[in-house]
Amino acid sequence: AQSVTQPDIHITVSEGASLELRCNYSYGATPYLFWYVQSPGQGLQLLLKYFSGDTLVQGIKGFEAEFKRSQSSFNLRKPSVHWSDAAEYFCAVGWNYGGSQGNLIFGKGTKLSVKP
Amino acid sequence: NAGVTQTPKFQVLKTGQSMTLQCAQDMNHEYMSWYRQDPGMGLRLIHYSVGAGITDQGEVPNGYNVSRSTTEDFPLRLLSAAPSQTSVYFCATRPHQNYGYTFGSGTRLTVV
């Protein structure tokens, strides 16, 4: 069965420090991949997505993510974190195979706290 | 252009009551889905639709019904509410299969 793992439940970084949030998926077929961000009490906002092509994708708010097929990973990065980045981040993965309709499976989320 | 509109934003139900969570979109998206979000569980798919008149079950469909009579609307019905259905419910839409979702702002449901 397909699954998406975000190994870190909670991460705290200092403002201005770099950030990497991890995401791994299981299943052999080529996936398409997303990162979403959720501020408290809000819906989910799409940060970036990967379907094919260049494995390093740029998103909004200065985020980027790299797809590594050999590691089944799609880690989210930001070179310098701002206090406003404090939120919960969700990795989501979909697969095109018969019957799936490409429905997304979400990881359980990583909560990011930012220290001043 | 409102995007995805969910109503109500908050609701408290008593065990055994029924209700309908509304989801409406004005983007002419074919695909619509309902997810529930619980602490530490991420988002889990309840039901989805790939077009008017077509619905299917997701990962956690028990206790919920859906229908899709129009492209715009995808209501989620709780038949007999249970405390285990206390959650935040999100409606999400996308224009076709290979695309990201646009999410509504959610409905926070408490069943007492």
Side-chain angles (χ1 to χ4, degrees):
Chain A
Q2 311 95 320
S3 65
V4 179
T5 301
Q6 293 180 246
D8 303 304
I9 296 173
H10 191 185
I11 285 182
T12 300
V13 301
S14 297
E15 190 168 16
S18 64
L19 171 70
E20 183 170 27
L21 302 182
R22 296 181 290 164
C23 175
N24 294 93
Y25 62 90
S26 68
Y27 196 66
T30 301
Y32 49 98
L33 304 140
F34 305 84
W35 275 99
Y36 287 86
V37 60
Q38 184 182 33
S39 298
Q42 303 296 313
L44 281 76
Q45 181 184 21
L46 180 65
L47 282 177
L48 46 77
K49 59 192 176 192
Y50 171 81
F51 288 104
S52 63
D54 191 346
T55 56
L56 183 64
V57 294
Q58 303 296 320
I60 63 172
K61 306 185 180 185
F63 285 92
E64 66 178 27
E66 185 172 13
F67 171 49
K68 293 186 177 180
R69 186 186 307 274
S70 62
Q71 299 178 15
S72 299
S73 69
F74 188 56
N75 294 349
L76 182 71
R77 301 193 293 249
K78 187 169 186 179
S80 178
V81 169
H82 188 262
W83 64 266
S84 61
D85 294 323
E88 192 158 18
Y89 292 80
F90 292 92
C91 178
V93 184
W95 289 269
N96 282 329
Y97 66 93
S100 76
Q101 303 293 352
N103 288 316
L104 298 188
I105 296 176
F106 285 81
K108 295 183 179 180
T110 298
K111 184 176 181 180
L112 173 66
S113 297
V114 180
K115 291 189 300 186
Chain B
N1 187 344
V4 182
T5 302
Q6 289 186 239
T7 56
K9 293 192 181 302
F10 302 94
Q11 183 71 48
V12 178
L13 285 180
K14 293 183 178 179
T15 297
Q17 287 184 318
S18 63
M19 79 159 294
T20 299
L21 279 62
Q22 301 291 345
C23 176
Q25 54 106 353
D26 61 1
M27 298 175 288
N28 202 33
H29 286 179
E30 288 297 321
Y31 284 66
M32 297 185 74
S33 302
W34 277 102
Y35 284 87
R36 61 177 288 173
Q37 183 179 28
D38 302 291
M41 299 294 292
L43 281 82
R44 293 179 292 169
L45 182 64
I46 305 172
H47 285 284
Y48 66 96
S49 170
V50 300
I54 306 170
T55 64
D56 207 345
Q57 297 180 352
E59 179 186 358
V60 288
N62 292 341
Y64 308 95
N65 269 358
V66 292
S67 60
R68 183 95 179 271
S69 57
T70 67
T71 299
E72 294 78 19
D73 299 297
F74 190 43
L76 178 71
R77 282 181 287 276
L78 280 70
L79 309 173
S80 177
S84 61
Q85 294 179 303
T86 294
S87 187
V88 181
Y89 292 85
F90 286 101
C91 179
T93 76
R94 51 184 173 159
H96 54 77
Q97 183 167 316
N98 292 347
Y99 221 85
Y101 287 123
T102 298
F103 281 87
S105 58
T107 294
R108 184 174 295 273
L109 175 68
T110 302
V111 183
V112 297

